């Protein structure tokens, strides 16, 4: 499969703060990459490198085989970008925004734009500054999708929006991906969205990629379970494959990486029983990796 | 020189109107400032000219608070009547005695005209305005005077219609508002500066206003056309859909190029920049004029007049400062240290050259539009004084300053130079915007301050002392040299970075050189030495043509876009 986006050992710092540390990512054509991580972990910084708004201190960024900072015009012509910040020019009206975007993108599909506006019930006469946050987000998505870019970059597209707007936005993205098979990089706090959309997930933690794999593989490899001891155990159980653990006394809830057999063997070694064993959800994986492991061995 | 008396009411009128246009925090601050300044003006002038002061206050009140203005107007008419019955007080206030009978007569007439115009503002009675102004002209002069004042009344109606179109309609277009603001400012601020610099008499000053008002008629047309066709009324989409009234979105003609798109989108920003820069120029001109004429202000009248004139100038500067701060909130943002290029624009497929080209074309266009108004005014002014003009009936009784074609040509050249200066300043500010470097903008302020101080020193200094004069000449030539060096370095850097090609650099330099040659030829053909010598004018004029920043802009854009 062709790689649309490729980051190789990218390091970037702002003054003394290290924002990205040796980040390597690859996004294949037609796949959806979900970027998850805590606030300030470096998700937006990665996206800005993809857009060419930031240059790496070391390492290389390649989008469509080009450096987006050195060749912004051909790269940006193929990217649809929806920012978490409200960056739309507030003085424009909806139909003026359409006209404006039309000028930059020869592939602009006016029928599709009208269709999206109708679906979103966008008031195209209103100035963008007078629209609600949800309506502005919808307008931003319309502007990002209507020229049918091969790569869509969504930075927290539904941050701070109500469930109805989130549903609208998600539906359109799902449909776009399903019908046209476009490449998407999605950064989001809403793990349910990522769970629904993403083929691959990258967990960003303190400027590093803590975890990067296919979503299905991640779910298969991670197990959530409860360890039960015969007697109360006041020291934290540490075993092979452990990602995170919480609890006290007889019952401990753990996230582990590995096979169920390995988990059972390790539990027996510790003198505990495994109950409630199941595949971990993305939410549990995210929380598990984000929380300190207290020296647990992996 | 009593020409300062009329401009201040009109400045206050403009400030009040600007407060209406910018109905935000700045507008409110502006309105409050107007009240304070008006009160100061009232206290300062009440002992010498009750009528003028009351007229000022009335205009201010009417433009700021309509309903209150109606009440105030009634009071003003009573005051005017009382004042008219005591002509000796009017003579004393003017201080020019019988040598300036026209000025003496026009002072109350002008106040009356403004008041009449404000009547229209509130009562929408055009006929009354025309009748009142004509009647006042008849009473003050004769039949020809009635004709003139009637014309003034009509022009004021056009102007107020224009204001109405912006203030009370739903126009929020990117073009009309800045345009109107520019008109307002030119109307209010350029008047005193031009008048004082050129030494116009008071009646000529009124004619200047007439010209400005005539020039504003096309704007009124634009305003009404925009209100009718350009920006359809906002419809609550839910309500409209339920009622089955949903309108089709207008099918807009797609832009043909990125440049065209950028020019369209930059229009608003450039309009604001035009306001800021034009206002700043007016402010600087007033400051320079004040410094130059400090020792001669009020010398035609009594010592009280001398003090009054200086106080008026100082108050005028405060008014202008407030005006600029209030009317240009976006420009103040320019000096915020964290200003960056808008991410919406940064993520569009645009090269640095695209953005820079659009900025310069747009700034040139805005500068041209802004200053075309002034040129129109001058033409109107000249036509008023043509022998065949019906308004020329009174020409023989007035003292004119434009006595030869060369002087008219000189003024036209000065205006053209102002135009280039505006363009220069616009491009400078826009460069600062895309580079995020406020220091560039501040350097422009510093340059003007240097010129103001220099002009003052040169005018008031001992003619035998040549040190400041020579120093200023050296500074100008050094600035020109550094400009050329910077342009060369920036061009080489841009080529190295692949931001532009050698052919583009040569073309830009060629256009710059042609503009410089044309400007110098015009200077040599029709500009006699005035305040500045040729040794100062030559580098000064060449400095106004942007070169270095054209080459610097794409580099600074690249820095900001790809940090």
């Amino acid at each position: 499969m062709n790689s649309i986006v490729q980051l190789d050992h990218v390091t970037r710092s702002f003054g003394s703060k290290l924002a990205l540390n040796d980040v390597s990512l690859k996004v294949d054509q037609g796949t959806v990459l979900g970027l998850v991580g805590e606030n300030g972990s470096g998700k937006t910084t990665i996206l800005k490198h993809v857009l060419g708004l930031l240059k790496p201190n070391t390492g290389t960024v390649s989008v469509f085989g080009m450096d987006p900072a050195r060749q912004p015009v051909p790269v940006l012509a193929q990217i649809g970008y929806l920012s978490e910040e409200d960056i739309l020019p507030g003085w424009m009206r909806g139909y003026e925004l359409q006209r404006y975007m039309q000028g930059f993108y020869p592939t602009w599909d006016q029928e599709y734009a009208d269709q999206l506006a109708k679906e979103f019930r966008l008031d195209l006469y209103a100035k963008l500054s007078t629209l609600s946050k949800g309506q502005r987000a919808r307008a931003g998505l319309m502007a990002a999708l209507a020229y049918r870019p091969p790569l869509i970059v969504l930075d927290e597209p539904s941050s701070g929006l109500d469930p109805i707007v989130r549903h609208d936005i998600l539906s359109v993205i799902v449909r776009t991906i399903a019908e046209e098979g476009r490449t998407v990089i999605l950064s989001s706090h809403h793990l349910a969205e990522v769970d629904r959309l993403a083929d691959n997930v990258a967990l960003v933690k303190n400027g590093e990629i803590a975890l990067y794999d296919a979503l299905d593989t991640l779910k298969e490899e991670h197990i959530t379970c409860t360890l039960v001891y015969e007697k109360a155990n006041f020291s934290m159980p540490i075993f092979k494959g452990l990602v995170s653990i919480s609890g006290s006394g007889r019952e401990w809830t753990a996230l582990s990486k590995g096979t169920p057999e390995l988990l059972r063997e390790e539990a027996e070694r510790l003198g505990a029983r495994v109950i409630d064993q199941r595949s971990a959800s993305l939410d549990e994986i995210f929380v598990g990796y984000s929380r300190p492991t207290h020296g647990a061995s992996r | 020189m009593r020409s300062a008396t009329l401009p201040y009411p009109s400045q206050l009128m403009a400030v009040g109107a600007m407060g209406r246009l910018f109905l935000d925090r700045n507008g409110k601050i502006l309105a409050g400032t107007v009240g304070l300044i008006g009160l100061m003006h009232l206290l300062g002038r009440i002992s010498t000219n009750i009528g003028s002061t009351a007229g000022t206050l009335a205009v201010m009140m009417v433009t700021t608070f309509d309903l209150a203005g109606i009440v105030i107007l009634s009071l003003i008419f009573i005051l005017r009547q009382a004042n008219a019955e005591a002509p000796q007080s009017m003579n004393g206030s003017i201080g020019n005695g019988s040598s300036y009978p026209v000025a003496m007569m026009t002072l109350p007439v002008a106040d009356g005209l403004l008041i009449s115009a404000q009547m229209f503002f509130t009562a929408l009675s055009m006929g009354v305005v025309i009748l009142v102004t004509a009647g006042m002209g008849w009473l003050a002069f004769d039949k020809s005077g009635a004709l003139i004042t009637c014309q003034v009344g009509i022009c004021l109606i056009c102007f107020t219609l224009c204001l109405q179109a912006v203030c009370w309609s739903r126009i929020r277009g990117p073009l009309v508002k800045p345009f109107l603001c520019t008109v307002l400012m030119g109307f209010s601020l350029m008047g005193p500066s031009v008048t004082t610099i050129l030494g116009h008499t008071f009646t000529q000053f009124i004619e200047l206003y007439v010209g400005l008002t005539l020039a504003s008629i096309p704007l009124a047309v634009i305003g009404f056309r925009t209100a009718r066709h350009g920006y359809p009324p906002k419809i609550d989409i839910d309500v409209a859909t339920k009622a089955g009234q949903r309108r089709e979105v207008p099918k807009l003609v797609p832009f043909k190029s990125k440049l065209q798109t950028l020019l369209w989108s930059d229009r608003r920003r450039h309009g604001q920049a035009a306001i800021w820069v034009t206002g700043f120029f007016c402010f600087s001109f007033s400051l320079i004029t004040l410094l130059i004429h400090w020792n001669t202000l009020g010398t035609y009248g009594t010592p009280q007049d001398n003090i009054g004139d200086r106080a008026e100038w100082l108050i005028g500067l405060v008014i202008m400062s407030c005006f600029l701060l209030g009317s240009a909130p976006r420009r103040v943002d320019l000096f915020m240290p964290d200003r960056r290029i808008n991410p919406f624009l940064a993520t569009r497929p645009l090269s640095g050259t695209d953005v820079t080209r659009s900025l310069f074309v747009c700034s040139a266009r805005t500068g041209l539009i802004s200053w075309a108004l002034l040129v129109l005014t001058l033409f109107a002014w000249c036509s008023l004084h043509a022998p065949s003009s019906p308004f020329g009936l009174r020409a023989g009784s007035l003292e004119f300053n434009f006595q030869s074609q060369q002087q008219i040509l000189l003024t036209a050249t000065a205006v053209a130079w102002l135009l280039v200066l505006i363009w220069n300043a616009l491009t400078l500010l826009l460069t600062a915007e895309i580079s995020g470097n406020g220091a560039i903008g501040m350097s422009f302020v510093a340059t003007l301050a240097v010129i103001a101080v220099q002009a003052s020193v040169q005018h008031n200094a001992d003619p035998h002392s040549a040190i400041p004069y020579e120093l200023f000449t050296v500074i100008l030539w050094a600035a020109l040299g550094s400009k050329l060096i910077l342009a060369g370095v920036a061009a080489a850097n841009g080529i190295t970075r692949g931001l532009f090609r050698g052919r583009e650099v040569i073309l830009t330099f060629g256009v710059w050189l042609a503009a410089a040659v044309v400007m110098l030829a015009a200077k040599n053909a029709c500009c006699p030495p005035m305040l500045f010598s040729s040794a100062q004018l030559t580098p000064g004029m060449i400095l106004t043509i942007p070169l270095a920043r054209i080459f610097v802009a794409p580099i600074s854009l690249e820095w900001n876009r790809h940090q």
Side-chain angles (χ1 to χ4, degrees), chain B residues 62-63 65-67 69-70 73 117-125 164:
Chain B
V62 170
T63 51
F65 314 101
D66 274 351
L67 292 174
I70 294 170
L73 269 177
Q118 294 310 313
M119 276 290 284
F120 164 74
F121 227 107
T122 52
L124 300 174
S125 54
Q164 293 270 13

Side-chain angles (χ1 to χ4, degrees), chain A residues 12 52-55 69 73 76 87 89 91 93 95-96 99-101 103-105 121 123-125 127, chain B residues 172 231 235 238 247-249 252-253 255 261 264-265 268 343-346 348-351 561-563:
Chain A
R12 169 74 196 208
L53 299 180
L54 292 174
K55 286 177 181 173
V73 177
L76 289 171
I87 61 169
W91 61 271
R93 292 165 199 273
Y95 64 85
E96 289 175 332
R99 191 187 186 201
Y100 180 82
M101 299 296 286
F104 291 126
Y105 302 98
R121 296 170 66 79
D123 181 358
L124 292 175
Y125 286 113
K127 278 188 183 179
Chain B
R172 292 294 183 271
Y231 295 91
I235 296 175
D238 291 327
R247 290 168 57 181
E248 286 297 316
V249 173
L252 299 169
V253 181
F255 294 115
T261 314
W264 172 79
S265 68
R268 177 180 162 128
F344 184 73
L345 188 67
R348 298 306 119 208
L350 288 166
S351 67
R561 196 188 202 184
H562 315 292
Q563 292 166 41

Side-chain angles (χ1 to χ4, degrees), chain B residues 389-427:
Chain B
S389 165
F391 307 111
L393 289 173
R394 302 196 59 77
S397 63
L398 299 173
E399 180 188 14
F400 293 112
N401 292 281
F402 287 168
Q403 289 172 341
S404 67
Q405 276 195 332
Q406 193 191 24
Q407 282 179 313
I408 294 173
L409 209 55
L410 167 68
T411 310
T413 310
V415 169
W417 192 40
L418 279 176
L419 194 146
V420 178
L421 275 172
I422 287 292
W423 180 36
N424 180 281
L426 277 168
T427 51

Side-chain angles (χ1 to χ4, degrees), chain A residues 97-128:
Chain A
L97 176 69
Q98 289 185 347
R99 191 187 186 201
Y100 180 82
M101 299 296 286
Q102 230 171 341
F104 291 126
Y105 302 98
T107 56
W108 179 267
D109 184 342
Q110 186 59 39
E111 277 184 23
Y112 184 37
D114 288 340
Q115 182 196 326
L116 287 174
K118 196 174 175 183
E119 189 174 326
F120 289 153
R121 296 170 66 79
L122 267 179
D123 181 358
L124 292 175
Y125 286 113
K127 278 188 183 179
L128 297 176

Side-chain angles (χ1 to χ4, degrees), chain B residues 316-329:
Chain B
L317 288 175
V318 175
I319 292 172
M320 290 174 200
S321 306
C322 295
F323 177 80
L324 292 176
L325 286 175
S327 63

